[in-house]
Amino acid sequence: MKLTLFIVFLSFLLGLAAAFTPQDHEIFRLRDEIEVNEGPEVTFYDFLGVKASASQDDILKAFRKRSRLLHPDKAKQSFIASRAKATPKPKSGQKPKKPGVHVNKAPSESEIRAAVKQASDRYARLGVIAEILKGSGRERYDHFLRNGFPKWRGTGYYYARFRPGLGTVLFGLFTFGGGVVHYGAMYMSWQRQRDFVERYIRNARRSAWGDDSGIRGIPGVDGAMTGSTAAPPTTFAQEQGAAVLNRRQKREQEKQAKKDEKKPKNSKGMQRNGTSTPTESEQPEPVAGPQGAKKRVLAENGKMLIVDSVGNVFVEEENQNGERAEYLLDPDSLPKPTFKDTILYRLPMRTYSSFKSRMTRAQAKYEGAELADLEIPSSAEHVSDKENAYIDSRGGASLDHKLPPQSTIRRQNSESMVSAITMEANEVDHLMTSPGDEEYPTLERMRSFYSPMHTFELAKGKDRHYQQQYSDMYFLRLAKLKPAVEAIAEEAWKELEIAGERVNRKERVLDVRQGELSWVAGTVYMDMPLKPNILDDISKDHWISAPPPREKYVSPSGQDRIMLEDESGRLRLVGTTTQISMLVTGCVIAVMGTENIDGDFEVVDIKVPDLPRQPERWERDEGDRALMNGNGKHNEAYAAQKNFESKVAIVSGLSISSDDGDSLALDLLTEFLTGEACGTSTQNDVKTVSRLIIAGNSISEGTPLHGRDELEDKKFSKRYGYDSTTFNAAPTRRFDEFLAAILPSLPVTLLPGEEDPATVAMPQQPIHLAMLPRSRNYAATLESTESGWFDSVTNPWEGDVDGWRMMGNGGQPIDDIFKYVDGDERLDMMENLLRWRCGAPTAPDTLWCYPYQDKDQFVIEECPHVYFVGSQPQFGTGVIEGPNDQAVRLIAVPKFKDTGELVLLDTETLEVETVAFEIFNDG
């Protein structure tokens, strides 16, 4: 209920804060300035020189005319010219100036500056007024003009200059409500309780002894002392005789005596027969029950009250054991609320205590391993059958006997651990036996033959340029792939006839003629309205925020158009064939068909460059060895080394963040790859894993991109080191620890991804080793020509692993192709990408890339044996074949963060299997 009222109150305040928009405040401000400088009855329309019913064209024309008159330069010239005019004739009623020569002085610099400033202010107001009347603000201004302008110079005036955000409003409400309001409520509640207890005591004394002081009067004293029967219970409404003695004076004397003796004023809480006092230094001597004569009084709420002869009032209640006990009623025992009792103080302290307890538990968990250091005496004379060592529920170590000096017990500080350790003498002797002579086999990991290719490495320093145009990439790509696709099209269509008409080849797109059956090759361009356009983004940058990224560029209304272009022009492609074929911007194809009456090319068939030549296994390694030996022969040792069975592990999408909660699956992966969490049979399989390839997105949001608005709003200051407000080093540090745990036993190839701290444009350059201080010790030196045990490579990447040509990327090219097509078949996209012979066909149209000028490195010149793509939504694999007996294993590597799957590739058969790491959460 309280939370509901708080939300309603907050909504009410937010509604008040949002009563006037910033545009309304701008209208109010301009209206006040117009009244002060132009006149009280001048409206925006009057200042602009149009009527209130003027159209937008009239307003635009009036603004242009008025802006020329009020321009500061024009106003400056007019002001100087007006001061240089001859003295005007005196008006009627004025005395003429004396005859003679009258000199008009030129205006001073200060006067000119004042005039220019006044003109600049009027010109600025004119521009703002014109913007309001030309836009949606005109409707708001007309509304206020008809219904009257409010008095906005109150709260709204200050709110316009300091507009608190939601966080500021919530903090202010929390400070005021949790501090002042909460303390006031607690103080009022304490005062009510105190008044209630005092009234309770006062009525009980009056009912018992007839006086508020509570001191028994002279009449009836003897009877009470001689053990006369107590009066029957009475109610508060009954009145008795007045007392003679002054109870309050006596209590004041007792309090003063206690102060002199430096004893506490009173005790906290109700006292039960004086036995609830913890220590003498904390509370005064308790009242040991009713003293002297006493009377029982029945209160209106049914409680039985006891009033003794000195005025103390007790309430009689039964405890849990059924025994009756008396509790002293004392208004001073009610604790007075303080600032520390408010939620403003308690909530931060509770948060701090919770954080401190978590840190303590984490430290206790770390120190829990020290229980293994528990030293046990080696003889049964120190530990008997009845003497057990145990750890109690509070985490402290306790002993029922005295340990010898050489025995130690490490304390386990975890509050959640309750365990008992019971060790008999014979068990101790068994545990402390010496190691046996049994020999365990040593498992050796298979060797990995690794030869990376540096295809996508860019020049460093001044040799890397960005001045060249991206159009060069399309011409280079078309020049490289056009001969290949034309050769395939020529072979397929050279003898083809349709309706007695032979298919003719056209050199250029614009050579196609209407009604003529022909084929032509070119580059595909997808004209899609939903596709981002950099020119539109730049033109709208100053008045519209950037739209959120789209999942698909495909228009639901069918407005997409497919174009085929070359150096001569463009040609629109239509027909059913184009609808069933997967086409994206940047792929080079050959189309066969005829041009219709609308000038569109009706496509009958499509050809692509298809898979290029595929090298033989060990071809590159044997060629290098032939150059080294001077002949084409290799020794028997080298031939024997190639005949082994090994596996390559591929993982992607680790997405390591600063949250410690996602470390369990990562620890399981580490222990599996290092063979620490497996049985003997599994360890024999793990030892065949010869290399780990991490295919991108190892770190979650390593380099977040900030928008223009965020960069303009943020005030940057010079900082030494890294700025913890904009960069979190915890994910990189945890990833470095993960690599450092694997590298001693397993070589690693690291590809960057979209979220990793590397260059954004494709091809992404290797993650700098300076960010991985523990893992870089396993990398090759700068002077070395060979790759190291830890190899940080580019994205995309290609190289030879155990003789097979492998090529892969972090997933950006496939994710971008996904936006161009209707389906979600990632393996089909990977197949088409290879058959297009382009590793990133949509670059540079919608995929950022480096502007190559001499050669398009994304063109695939040799067909790989294995093509893997990281950071995919789910695992997938398949084999595609080419026209010249090429065979490629396709692997869609899933995100480990979401699926917990690791891919294992057999380097002999190229078969693929997955290992899933699942975490079961109770509840």
Side-chain angles (χ1 to χ4, degrees):
M1 184 64 183
K2 293 182 179 180
L3 180 60
T4 305
L5 293 177
F6 177 75
I7 294 176
V8 172
F9 179 68
L10 178 62
S11 303
F12 175 73
L13 291 181
L14 292 178
L16 291 179
F20 290 128
T21 64
Q23 189 180 49
D24 295 339
H25 286 276
E26 188 73 17
I27 293 175
F28 300 156
R29 183 186 63 82
L30 285 174
R31 184 240 184 186
D32 292 347
E33 292 181 0
I34 291 295
E35 286 186 349
V36 173
N37 296 279
E38 306 296 335
E41 301 297 332
V42 179
T43 65
F44 288 3
Y45 298 104
D46 297 336
F47 182 70
L48 197 59
V50 295
K51 297 181 180 180
S53 60
S55 63
Q56 292 293 331
D57 294 337
D58 295 338
I59 292 176
L60 183 60
K61 293 179 182 178
F63 168 70
R64 292 174 180 174
K65 180 180 179 181
R66 189 73 171 167
S67 62
R68 288 193 295 267
L69 296 176
L70 298 181
H71 195 276
D73 295 337
K74 182 72 173 180
K76 179 180 179 180
Q77 297 174 1
S78 300
F79 175 73
I80 296 174
S82 63
R83 294 291 296 270
K85 290 183 179 179
T87 304
K89 295 181 179 181
K91 297 181 180 179
S92 59
Q94 293 181 350
K95 295 181 179 181
K97 291 185 178 182
K98 296 180 180 180
V101 178
H102 300 281
V103 179
N104 293 327
K105 296 182 179 180
S108 63
E109 291 294 334
S110 59
E111 293 177 340
I112 295 176
R113 285 195 299 268
V116 171
K117 183 179 182 305
Q118 183 180 6
S120 299
D121 294 340
R122 297 187 68 194
Y123 188 78
R125 284 194 292 269
L126 176 66
V128 178
I129 290 175
E131 289 294 330
I132 292 175
L133 297 182
K134 289 190 297 183
S136 58
R138 182 178 183 180
E139 182 179 357
R140 296 290 296 169
Y141 176 74
D142 292 342
H143 169 76
F144 293 119
L145 193 62
R146 290 191 304 268
N147 303 296
F149 289 86
K151 295 182 179 180
W152 68 287
R153 286 284 184 179
T155 306
Y157 176 76
Y158 295 103
Y159 181 77
R161 280 143 182 79
F162 174 71
R163 297 172 182 172
L166 181 60
T168 307
V169 174
L170 293 178
F171 178 77
L173 291 176
F174 173 73
T175 304
F176 179 75
V180 178
V181 177
H182 191 200
Y183 178 79
M186 289 192 301
Y187 184 83
M188 294 173 61
S189 176
W190 170 78
Q191 190 65 40
R192 277 198 311 270
Q193 293 178 8
R194 183 180 178 87
D195 295 342
F196 174 77
V197 173
E198 290 178 348
R199 187 173 64 254
Y200 216 70
I201 294 174
R202 185 170 55 253
N203 293 335
R205 290 171 177 171
R206 184 182 300 112
S207 300
W209 307 117
D211 192 353
D212 293 346
S213 63
I215 306 299
R216 182 181 178 184
I218 299 299
V221 174
D222 298 337
M225 297 300 293
T226 58
S228 60
T229 305
T234 59
T235 62
F236 289 151
Q238 297 173 346
E239 300 289 342
Q240 295 187 4
V244 177
L245 301 180
N246 192 337
R247 165 71 175 172
R248 296 179 181 176
Q249 294 178 356
K250 185 177 180 179
R251 289 180 65 88
E252 291 294 335
Q253 293 177 358
E254 292 178 356
K255 291 181 180 179
Q256 186 65 30
K258 292 176 183 178
K259 291 181 180 179
D260 296 339
E261 296 174 1
K262 296 183 179 180
K263 292 183 179 181
K265 184 177 180 180
N266 50 29
S267 60
K268 294 183 179 180
M270 294 185 180
Q271 301 174 356
R272 179 196 172 194
N273 295 334
T275 60
S276 62
T277 307
T279 59
E280 293 182 359
S281 61
E282 295 178 359
Q283 296 182 355
E285 294 182 0
V287 178
Q291 302 177 6
K294 58 182 180 181
K295 275 192 175 184
R296 295 179 180 272
V297 179
L298 183 63
E300 293 179 352
N301 58 357
K303 296 287 184 179
M304 182 61 68
L305 304 178
I306 300 176
V307 185
D308 61 5
S309 59
V310 295
N312 293 324
V313 180
F314 298 82
V315 59
E316 186 180 46
E317 291 185 352
E318 290 186 359
N319 55 19
Q320 296 179 352
N321 299 326
E323 301 175 354
R324 288 187 173 274
E326 296 83 15
Y327 298 91
L328 176 65
L329 293 181
D330 187 3
D332 294 332
S333 64
L334 298 174
K336 185 177 181 180
T338 62
F339 171 74
K340 293 184 178 181
D341 297 327
T342 62
I343 193 174
L344 182 63
Y345 178 84
R346 294 175 61 186
L347 182 60
M349 294 304 298
R350 179 174 296 181
T351 304
Y352 171 75
S353 301
S354 176
F355 174 76
K356 184 178 179 180
S357 62
R358 290 185 180 181
M359 296 298 295
T360 305
R361 287 197 296 268
Q363 182 180 5
K365 181 179 179 181
Y366 174 76
E367 295 176 355
E370 296 183 357
L371 285 177
D373 297 338
L374 178 64
E375 298 182 7
I376 307 299
S378 58
S379 176
E381 61 180 352
H382 298 298
V383 184
S384 63
D385 294 342
K386 296 182 179 180
E387 294 175 336
N388 300 323
Y390 67 94
I391 297 178
D392 61 9
S393 61
R394 292 170 297 177
S398 302
L399 290 178
D400 292 338
H401 62 282
K402 185 177 180 180
L403 287 175
Q406 68 272 16
S407 300
T408 59
I409 288 185
R410 303 286 185 177
R411 287 186 179 269
Q412 173 67 19
N413 295 323
S414 176
E415 298 178 359
S416 62
M417 179 177 293
V418 181
S419 60
I421 305 175
T422 304
M423 292 169 288
E424 302 294 335
N426 55 354
E427 294 178 353
V428 173
D429 294 338
H430 175 71
L431 291 174
M432 299 303 294
T433 55
S434 59
D437 298 333
E438 182 181 359
E439 295 183 359
Y440 294 92
T442 301
L443 300 180
E444 295 183 0
R445 192 179 296 274
M446 292 294 181
R447 180 183 174 185
S448 173
F449 288 88
Y450 178 70
S451 178
M453 302 175 67
H454 308 284
T455 308
F456 300 99
E457 290 187 1
L458 300 177
K460 296 179 175 58
K462 298 181 180 180
D463 296 332
R464 187 184 303 180
H465 303 287
Y466 290 89
Q467 292 83 7
Q468 52 268 35
Q469 296 293 326
Y470 281 103
S471 59
D472 296 340
M473 290 186 59
Y474 289 110
F475 290 118
L476 293 172
R477 186 180 303 173
L478 181 61
K480 183 69 177 179
L481 297 179
K482 188 174 182 179
V485 71
E486 285 182 342
I488 295 176
E490 180 70 24
E491 183 178 358
W493 298 329
K494 62 181 179 180
E495 301 294 338
L496 181 63
E497 293 185 3
I498 299 178
E501 183 179 1
R502 185 181 296 273
V503 179
N504 298 320
R505 174 189 175 186
K506 299 296 181 181
E507 293 291 340
R508 302 184 309 165
V509 168
L510 296 184
D511 293 340
V512 175
R513 295 292 181 266
Q514 179 179 345
E516 182 181 358
L517 186 62
S518 58
W519 66 271
V520 65
T523 305
V524 174
Y525 174 75
M526 303 294 293
D527 187 7
M528 312 175 80
L530 299 183
K531 188 173 61 175
N533 190 318
I534 186 63
L535 297 179
D536 292 342
D537 294 342
I538 293 176
S539 62
K540 300 176 182 179
D541 182 62
H542 298 286
W543 63 278
I544 192 171
S545 59
R550 298 183 183 274
E551 183 179 0
K552 291 281 190 179
Y553 299 149
V554 180
S555 175
S557 58
Q559 299 179 2
D560 302 333
R561 299 188 303 173
I562 304 176
M563 301 291 184
L564 186 70
E565 64 178 11
D566 58 8
E567 62 277 4
S568 64
R570 286 184 179 179
L571 180 64
R572 182 181 179 183
L573 306 181
V574 296
T576 307
T577 305
T578 60
Q579 303 299 325
I580 61 176
S581 301
M582 183 179 295
L583 299 175
V584 298
T585 297
C587 63
V588 178
I589 63 173
V591 294
M592 185 267 291
T594 182
E595 186 178 10
N596 58 22
I597 192 173
D598 297 327
D600 300 333
F601 193 81
E602 293 279 354
V603 179
V604 179
D605 195 8
I606 297 176
K607 294 297 179 181
V608 296
D610 218 324
L611 301 181
R613 171 190 174 275
Q614 188 176 54
E616 296 291 335
R617 187 185 182 187
W618 302 107
E619 176 180 318
R620 182 161 166 261
D621 298 272
E622 291 177 352
D624 295 341
R625 181 163 294 275
L627 295 176
M628 294 172 59
N629 297 340
N631 53 37
K633 300 179 180 180
H634 47 270
N635 53 32
E636 296 179 359
Y638 175 73
Q641 289 176 353
K642 296 193 301 181
N643 298 324
F644 62 88
E645 295 182 0
S646 65
K647 297 180 181 179
V648 175
I650 309 175
V651 69
S652 180
L654 297 176
S655 297
I656 300 176
S657 64
S658 58
D659 186 10
D660 294 335
D662 61 354
S663 60
L664 182 55
L666 201 64
D667 293 341
L668 293 176
L669 175 63
T670 305
E671 294 176 358
F672 173 80
L673 293 175
T674 56
E676 297 177 359
C678 312
T680 305
S681 59
T682 308
Q683 287 179 347
N684 291 328
D685 295 336
V686 173
K687 75 175 184 179
T688 61
V689 178
S690 60
R691 176 167 291 273
L692 172 65
I693 299 178
I694 303 177
N697 288 349
S698 304
I699 300 174
S700 176
E701 298 182 357
T703 55
L705 295 178
H706 300 282
R708 181 185 296 270
D709 297 338
E710 298 179 6
L711 295 177
E712 292 179 352
D713 295 340
K714 185 176 179 62
K715 296 182 179 179
F716 293 95
S717 59
K718 184 177 181 180
R719 294 178 180 266
Y720 295 95
Y722 72 89
D723 186 359
S724 60
T725 61
T726 59
F727 174 73
N728 186 7
T732 308
R733 183 177 64 253
R734 293 186 60 200
F735 180 54
D736 189 23
E737 294 173 355
F738 167 74
L739 293 176
I742 294 177
L743 282 170
S745 63
L746 184 66
V748 176
T749 300
L750 174 62
L751 279 73
E754 185 177 8
E755 299 178 355
D756 292 327
T759 55
V760 179
M762 301 288 287
Q764 288 183 286
Q765 297 306 287
I767 297 178
H768 203 286
L769 297 178
M771 306 191 69
L772 307 171
R774 299 181 59 183
S775 305
R776 65 181 178 185
N777 297 326
Y778 297 90
T781 60
L782 297 177
E783 297 80 8
S784 177
T785 57
E786 297 182 358
S787 59
W789 191 261
F790 172 53
D791 192 16
S792 180
V793 298
T794 61
N795 174 30
W797 168 84
E798 63 177 345
D800 292 347
V801 180
D802 293 338
W804 300 107
R805 177 65 51 82
M806 299 183 66
M807 185 174 69
N809 57 66
Q812 295 97 313
I814 299 300
D815 293 341
D816 203 53
I817 293 176
F818 167 78
K819 300 177 181 181
Y820 281 83
V821 298
D822 291 323
D824 191 17
E825 297 296 332
R826 300 299 178 114
L827 292 179
D828 291 346
M829 302 176 196
M830 296 168 62
E831 178 183 357
N832 282 276
L833 184 143
L834 291 177
R835 297 191 185 278
W836 293 329
R837 295 193 189 184
C838 187
T842 58
D845 185 26
T846 54
L847 184 64
W848 294 357
C849 72
Y850 177 77
Y852 290 106
Q853 188 175 15
D854 299 328
K855 180 182 179 181
D856 186 2
Q857 294 292 351
F858 295 120
V859 174
I860 302 175
E861 298 184 1
E862 289 186 337
C863 180
H865 299 95
V866 178
Y867 179 54
F868 62 88
V869 176
S871 300
Q872 296 305 296
Q874 61 184 5
F875 168 75
T877 185
V879 178
I880 62 173
E881 297 180 353
N884 299 322
D885 297 332
Q886 303 100 321
V888 183
R889 165 66 67 176
L890 305 179
I891 304 175
V893 185
K895 298 179 181 178
F896 183 83
K897 179 76 172 181
D898 299 335
T899 63
E901 292 182 346
L902 171 72
V903 178
L904 296 179
L905 172 67
D906 193 317
T907 57
E908 285 300 312
T909 61
L910 294 185
E911 296 294 329
V912 177
E913 59 180 330
T914 60
V915 179
F917 301 88
E918 298 181 357
I919 301 175
F920 300 96
N921 296 322
D922 296 336

